[in-house]
Amino acid sequence: MLYSYESIISVKNLATIQPHVAVCLAAFNGMDWLPTQLDSILAQSGVSVTILVSVDRSNDGTEAWIDSRARNEARLVVLPHGEQFGGAARNFFRLMRDVNFSDFDYVSFADQDDLWPSDKLQRAHEILQKTGADGYSSNVTAFWSDGRRMRIEKSQPQQQWDFLFEAAGPGCTYVLRRQLACALQSLLNQRWAAVQQVGLHDWFSYAFARANGFRWVIDDYAGMLYRQHESNQVGVNKGWRAGLHRASKVLNGWGLIQSALIADLVGVGEDVFVQRWTKSGKRKGMFWLALQAKKCRRRHRDQVLFALSCLALGVLGRRPS
């Protein structure tokens, strides 16, 4: 079933000079952060927002709280509860599949635990209008409960194939024009079972856009406060534990397996570039991909690490399958 703004909320005049944004929020055990995050989204200036919430089955009262809040807030739409997704990606995919975007100008993603400056969506709209791009993301400022803050840079120049190997920044910064969101929704409906194997919805969304001729802009402005805590499914990858976690995923080939899956889903699986590292001999394909590192990641340091990772997989005789 498609949940649309018009069918759920009685509003006679949708015509407005302000762009209308569907904010897709995936929640799970979010009572520590949801109240302040929702307030920051509802306080957005220069745009009209509708927040559409999907709650992964929780045990901290999230469902009851969000239902209560929605009874008193017409801009909050809650999708039916009860499903267990087991991760943010599947929860976001549910939102992208089930919401009718036809009444919106833009679609954005929101995590449950961040804080949005009041001009976050307005700036995204202005940048998209100025550049003519279809998708937007930005840098962020990570913050911790002890008061630390750190700017996270994701706006390095886009490369020919970076979309197959990394996202365009945190998904909670993404804003998509309706045409892009609807095209992505169509693919989700066509390949729903296969998409459930994708681990990161933001990476997949960026890859779909780039692979299918949609233009993407990464803003060098840090437009959001990106909360870091022990429950983060994906954070800023800082510290030795995060380093070990990344190393284990590199050495077991998880990242490149995801890359190959995403390449197939977004329509470039048969491209010569992809075939060279997915179909060649295990060592040959990985050694060749190492030489393509500058085309595969945006940041220079990540290009070096990517090349070293491919070499390691080549030595171990592993490649995506």
Side-chain angles (χ1 to χ4, degrees), residues 93-108:
F93 287 145
R94 183 266 182 114
L95 281 159
M96 292 296 294
R97 179 193 64 183
D98 289 354
V99 174
N100 186 343
F101 298 128
S102 60
D103 294 325
F104 298 97
D105 299 301
Y106 300 107
V107 175
S108 69

Side-chain angles (χ1 to χ4, degrees), residues 236-278:
V236 298
N237 293 323
K238 181 178 176 62
W240 65 269
R241 289 183 180 176
L244 288 176
H245 180 67
R246 291 198 305 275
S248 67
K249 285 197 168 186
V250 167
L251 294 177
N252 67 20
W254 179 87
L256 287 181
I257 290 171
Q258 285 284 296
S259 294
L261 171 62
I262 289 171
D264 174 65
L265 287 170
V266 303
V268 296
E270 298 302 315
D271 191 279
V272 173
F273 172 83
V274 177
Q275 293 285 300
R276 285 289 299 270
W277 53 273
T278 57

Side-chain angles (χ1 to χ4, degrees), residues 276-278 280-290 319:
R276 285 289 299 270
W277 53 273
T278 57
S280 300
K282 293 180 179 180
R283 288 184 170 82
K284 182 180 179 181
M286 290 298 94
F287 293 154
W288 179 85
L289 187 59
R319 64 168 170 79

Side-chain angles (χ1 to χ4, degrees), residues 200-214:
L200 297 170
H201 65 285
D202 44 6
W203 179 5
F204 178 77
S205 300
Y206 175 56
F208 173 82
R210 287 282 308 277
N212 287 276
F214 293 97

